Amino acid sequence: DAEITQSPRHKITETGRQVTLACHQTWNHNNMFWYRQDLGHGLRLIHYSYGVQDTNKGEVSDGYSVSRSNTEDLPLTLESAASSQTSVYFCASSEYPGNNEQFFGPGTRLTVL
Amino acid sequence: GQQVMQIPQYQHVQEGEDFTTYCNSSTTLSNIQWYKQRPGGHPVFLIQLVKSGEVKKQKRLTFQFGEAKKNSSLHITATQTTDVGTYFCAVFLAPSGTYKYIFGTGTRLKVLA
């Protein structure tokens, strides 16, 4: 069965370190998304991609970057982790860019000390 | 900017009681999606509404899209403990050629047995 996976599931890091969160999907979807979820804010879009070599900034992109070298993967990098980036991060994919169901990964809980 | 307000933020009900959550937008929407997230889990797509005044049912869940396409509701009849979780609405916008997914802040439902 097709799926979307994230790794690691839990990560503790220190302020200033670079961190990369992995997202891998086997749906063969062109569209992939990264969200962060914080209490009281729901899900906020960080970056998204509509295909290989395509990346776009979302609502809360500062301090984050993504790259899309193949269809299956969209890694999220925190260039210099800050305590404000402590959150739960979800990756999602969809078949079409809009008007379409998003499939979410299990999430990565990141703590920045 | 575009706002998607969701109310209430929390709802505690006795098992067997009904539950409704509302999603309101400041602008006309092309579509709206609803997701459910169980505690500790990831968002799971429930449904998408596209047409003005549309009503869709999934067993005990009834979804409605307002006539003006600015609001939507999710109603659960006779709640069960399996309904526990947070319900999110989500909208897809494409102003001026950019794309945005915006999630509401969610309604957390607790069902007391």
Side-chain angles (χ1 to χ4, degrees), chain A residues 15-70:
Chain A
T15 301
R17 294 207 179 233
Q18 185 180 77
V19 176
T20 297
L21 308 182
C23 175
H24 179 82
Q25 53 99 0
T26 58
W27 291 97
N28 200 34
H29 287 162
N30 282 325
N31 310 293
M32 296 183 73
F33 310 85
W34 273 104
Y35 295 89
R36 61 177 288 174
Q37 185 172 37
D38 306 287
L39 211 57
H41 287 281
L43 289 145
R44 290 183 291 174
L45 184 62
I46 305 171
H47 281 286
Y48 58 98
S49 168
Y50 289 139
V52 176
Q53 302 301 333
D54 176 74
T55 62
N56 305 280
K57 294 182 179 180
E59 178 188 357
V60 289
S61 61
D62 287 349
Y64 303 95
S65 63
V66 293
S67 61
R68 187 90 180 270
S69 58
N70 59 52

